[in-house]
Amino acid sequence: MDQVKHSNHLHPLSSPSLLSSACCSLSLPLQLASYLTKSPPLHPSVDPNFVLTGNFVPVDETPPTECLVVEGELPRSLHGVYIRNGPKPQHQPLGPHHLFEGDGMLHSILLSQGRAIFCSRYFKTYKYKLEHNTGFPMIPNFLSGFYGFGDVGRGIVALGRAMTGQI
């Protein structure tokens, strides 16, 4: 029987020094990519966790609902509708958010025969339908600006997808 001679040469990555240098050479580009795509802290004027609080919290649509009169009564001769539009976003934004950005919602109060009926509905735009079907924001907000390479990248991807008809 022939004996097979094994060489003393090791696989290149089995050497600790080669393995650590290979890991370090991969680690630096990954750390750099992470640093470049990480957005800086948001200013409170565009931070969704600060801006979308109180009266500005995203709300769901409300079917026509009769309002209770807390004190007194509404005049039976008062007839009309008060309609207010606002920028209510349907989903919490992923990045900076300006108060003028959002999907748009109409709120109405119908006054008739001593009763008040409240209702709110989103504008059913293409953007609204797209993000409603996916369940998260797909088109970045442009009024609030870009706060890092990550925001610029998301903007470029959204623009490319729009130009190719994907959104």
Side-chain angles (χ1 to χ4, degrees):
M1 281 200 171
D2 294 330
Q3 279 191 330
V4 178
K5 282 190 160 183
H6 293 285
S7 68
N8 290 335
H9 297 293
L10 298 173
H11 187 273
L13 292 181
S14 63
S15 166
S17 62
L18 288 174
L19 185 59
S20 65
S21 67
C23 289
C24 289
S25 65
L26 289 176
S27 175
L28 183 61
L30 291 175
Q31 288 175 352
L32 182 62
S34 174
Y35 174 76
L36 290 175
T37 58
K38 184 178 179 184
S39 296
L42 296 175
H43 189 273
S45 66
V46 293
D47 184 353
N49 296 321
F50 181 77
V51 175
L52 296 176
T53 58
N55 282 339
F56 302 106
V57 170
V59 295
D60 293 326
E61 292 184 322
T62 306
T65 307
E66 187 156 354
C67 303
L68 299 175
V69 177
V70 176
E71 188 176 313
E73 63 183 47
L74 293 172
R76 296 187 69 70
S77 61
L78 186 60
H79 297 283
V81 178
Y82 170 76
I83 300 175
R84 176 191 169 273
N85 68 332
K88 295 287 188 195
Q90 66 175 313
H91 301 292
Q92 184 74 6
L94 298 176
H97 179 77
H98 188 277
L99 279 177
F100 292 164
E101 296 174 315
D103 295 292
M105 180 176 268
L106 287 176
H107 304 275
S108 70
I109 298 178
L110 170 66
L111 302 170
S112 180
Q113 300 175 357
R115 296 176 31 203
I117 298 175
F118 175 78
C119 182
S120 62
R121 296 281 189 256
Y122 278 107
F123 291 103
K124 303 299 193 283
T125 62
Y126 177 75
K127 176 185 181 291
Y128 170 86
K129 291 175 187 175
L130 178 72
E131 293 179 350
H132 183 74
N133 290 339
T134 58
F136 59 90
M138 299 222 15
I139 299 174
N141 296 329
F142 288 98
L143 290 176
S144 54
F146 296 103
Y147 275 76
F149 289 112
D151 294 331
V152 173
R154 282 190 287 277
I156 291 170
V157 167
L159 181 63
R161 293 179 73 198
M163 290 174 67
T164 58
Q166 295 178 15
I167 58 172

